[in-house]
């Protein structure tokens, strides 16, 4: 009997041990840890915006905000229907409808990112229909030729009165209404800059310059540099180096030469025509650089090209420079040029 009791006790103890060792408890209901974002090993996500405020004119339009985040997803929401948002990659596009009201209005865009507790906001303001505005694509500089000419630029504006001044009497400027339109225009006009000497020959004066300032309330201010050329002349001393027989002679092995340009033209631009073996550029107001590429050693064809010097105000008053290779039938190696022998 004692033997059976001991055996029973042993089996009972073994059952308890096995049951205890196999029990999973609450650990069986735990999910494996979520993998960390490889771009954020620490698990800390960040969110930032390129700007925190935007300003629109009364007419509305579209602007963009760059969103920088390492979070897996982000969202944006506007609290006003007239201010719309759309998402594309890391860009938040903000579109404002036209404001037909008499007061400035404001909207707030809230940007959120997954795993980031602190959201970011963009404050959007828009001018009212009564606020002054002026939209005009007016250059900072304009060049006229010697004739009496005029030009104008359209101004989309609700400003009634503009203050326009010119520093020189030969340059007239004004802002005037455009007929049959609700827009205005800025008009520039110049007097003739044509002068002759006692022998009835045209004088080639240096360019003259005026400054025009345009102001409209507190919303618009612009300054234009107005330049007017006289009768333009270009002069290049083709009888001197580096010209040979009236042409700029370049080495077939590649060469760079500078040419002095005498002119009274305010601005000019060199251009090589139908010659991919030439590169030309203006170094300063009186210097032109011409660079030729090396010709194929197996090609004895003489290369010819032309370089035009053009000016911005008078496209018909240009000058042409002829460019050519040196004599393609003469090769230095044939005359032991490298050894400085065989040449007179």
């Amino acid at each position: 009997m004692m033997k059976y009791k001991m055996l029973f006790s042993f089996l009972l103890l073994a059952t308890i041990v096995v049951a205890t060792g196999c029990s999973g408890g609450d650990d069986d209901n735990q999910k494996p840890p979520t993998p960390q974002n490889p771009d954020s090993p620490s698990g800390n996500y960040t969110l930032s915006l390129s700007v925190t405020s935007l300003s629109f004119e009364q007419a509305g339009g579209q602007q963009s905000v760059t969103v920088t985040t390492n979070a897996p997803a982000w969202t944006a929401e506007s609290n006003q229907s007239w201010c719309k948002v759309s998402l594309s990659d890391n860009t938040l596009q903000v579109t404002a409808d036209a404001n037909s009201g008499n007061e400035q209005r404001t909207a707030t865009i809230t940007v959120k990112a997954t795993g980031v507790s602190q959201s970011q906001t963009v404050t959007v303001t828009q001018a009212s229909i009564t606020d002054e505005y002026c939209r005009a694509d007016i250059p900072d500089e304009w060049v006229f030729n010697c004739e009496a000419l005029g030009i104008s630029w359209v101004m989309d504006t609700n400003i009634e009165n503009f203050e326009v001044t010119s520093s020189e009497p030969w340059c007239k400027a004004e802002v005037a209404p455009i007929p049959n339109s609700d827009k205005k225009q800025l008009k520039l006009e110049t007097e003739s800059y044509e002068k002759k000497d006692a022998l009835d020959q045209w004088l080639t004066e240096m360019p003259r310059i005026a400054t025009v300032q345009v102001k409209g309330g507190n919303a618009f201010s612009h300054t234009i540099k107005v330049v007017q050329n006289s009768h333009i002349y270009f002069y290049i001393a083709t009888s001197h180096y580096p010209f040979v027989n009236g042409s700029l002679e370049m080495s077939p092995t590649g060469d760079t030469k500078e040419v002095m340009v005498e002119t009274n033209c305010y601005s000019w631009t060199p251009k090589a025509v139908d010659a991919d073996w030439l590169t030309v550029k203006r170094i300063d107001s009186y210097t032109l650089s011409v660079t030729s590429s090396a010709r194929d050693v197996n090609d004895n064809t003489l290369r010819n090209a032309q370089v035009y010097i053009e000016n911005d105000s008078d496209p018909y008053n240009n000058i042409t420079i002829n460019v050519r290779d040196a004599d393609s039938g003469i090769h230095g190696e044939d005359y032991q040029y490298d050894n400085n022998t065989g040449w007179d």
Side-chain angles (χ1 to χ4, degrees):
M1 186 68 177
M2 179 64 68
K3 180 178 179 180
Y4 290 108
K5 289 183 177 180
M6 292 178 61
L7 178 60
F8 177 76
S9 299
F10 175 78
L11 293 174
L12 179 62
L13 178 61
T15 300
I16 295 173
V17 171
V18 172
T20 303
C22 294
S23 175
D26 295 336
D27 292 339
D28 286 343
N29 298 323
Q30 292 182 355
K31 297 180 179 179
T34 302
Q36 292 180 337
N37 185 342
D39 296 330
S40 182
S42 64
N44 295 324
Y45 296 116
T46 60
L47 173 65
S48 62
L49 308 178
S50 59
V51 297
T52 58
S53 63
L54 294 174
S55 178
F56 286 89
E57 295 181 355
Q58 176 272 334
Q62 186 177 83
Q63 299 184 50
S64 62
V65 179
T66 301
V67 179
T68 303
T69 181
N70 57 358
W74 60 277
T75 61
E77 183 179 358
S78 171
N79 68 344
Q80 299 294 331
S81 60
W82 59 266
C83 179
K84 299 174 177 61
V85 297
S86 62
L87 286 59
S88 176
D89 295 329
N90 66 330
T91 302
L92 168 64
Q93 295 286 355
V94 181
T95 303
D97 297 336
N99 184 5
S100 58
N102 294 325
E103 295 183 357
Q104 184 186 79
R105 58 186 180 181
T106 304
T108 300
I109 299 173
T110 303
V111 182
K112 298 180 181 180
T114 303
V116 180
S117 59
Q118 184 66 42
S119 61
Q120 300 291 327
T121 60
V122 180
T123 301
V124 181
T125 58
Q126 185 179 24
S128 71
I129 196 171
T130 59
D131 290 333
E132 292 181 336
Y133 68 89
C134 181
R135 293 180 290 272
D137 187 15
I138 301 174
D140 296 330
E141 181 179 279
W142 192 261
V143 181
F144 289 95
N145 63 24
C146 61
E147 300 175 4
L149 294 172
I151 191 171
S152 63
W153 294 274
V154 175
M155 306 173 71
D156 182 11
T157 180
N158 65 350
I159 301 174
E160 291 296 330
N161 298 313
F162 284 84
E163 179 184 352
V164 184
T165 59
S166 174
S167 64
E168 301 297 332
W170 55 265
C171 178
K172 304 293 191 301
E174 67 170 340
V175 172
I178 298 178
N180 303 319
S181 172
D182 58 354
K183 295 179 174 59
K184 293 181 172 61
Q185 60 182 334
L186 171 63
K187 300 171 63 176
L188 288 184
E189 294 181 352
T190 59
E191 296 177 357
S192 173
Y193 195 21
E194 298 176 302
K195 298 181 179 180
K196 292 184 176 181
D197 59 17
L199 299 177
D200 201 34
Q201 299 297 311
W202 292 113
L203 293 176
T204 52
E205 304 284 348
M206 295 303 293
R208 58 184 183 180
I209 298 174
T211 300
V212 173
Q213 292 184 327
V214 184
K215 294 182 179 180
N218 296 320
F220 186 81
S221 179
H222 194 82
T223 301
I224 310 174
K225 181 180 181 181
V226 181
V227 182
Q228 187 175 26
N229 282 312
S230 174
H231 278 272
I232 296 173
Y233 77 91
F234 288 99
Y235 177 73
I236 297 176
T238 57
S239 60
H240 300 288
Y241 176 85
F243 288 88
V244 177
N245 296 325
S247 295
L248 180 63
E249 193 167 88
M250 312 294 288
S251 169
T253 60
D255 204 353
T256 296
K257 290 181 178 178
E258 292 185 356
V259 178
M260 299 302 296
V261 180
E262 183 179 341
T263 180
N264 67 338
C265 183
Y266 174 74
S267 60
W268 53 271
T269 305
K271 180 174 66 175
V273 180
D274 298 329
D276 55 3
W277 56 280
L278 282 183
T279 301
V280 295
K281 65 178 181 179
R282 173 180 169 177
I283 298 177
D284 54 39
S285 298
Y286 303 102
T287 311
L288 165 68
S289 172
V290 180
T291 300
S292 65
S293 60
R295 189 175 62 214
D296 191 310
V297 294
N298 297 317
D299 185 3
N300 291 331
T301 304
L302 183 65
R303 297 182 297 186
N304 289 279
Q306 290 182 324
V307 173
Y308 289 120
I309 297 180
E310 302 177 337
N311 71 86
D312 296 334
S313 66
D314 187 356
Y316 301 103
N317 192 347
N318 301 313
I319 190 170
T320 301
I321 302 174
N322 295 316
V323 184
R324 70 174 188 178
D325 279 333
D327 190 342
S328 60
I330 298 177
H331 298 277
E333 57 270 21
D334 296 338
Y335 296 88
Q336 298 180 344
Y337 174 78
D338 293 338
N339 296 326
N340 293 322
T341 59
W343 292 83
D344 294 333

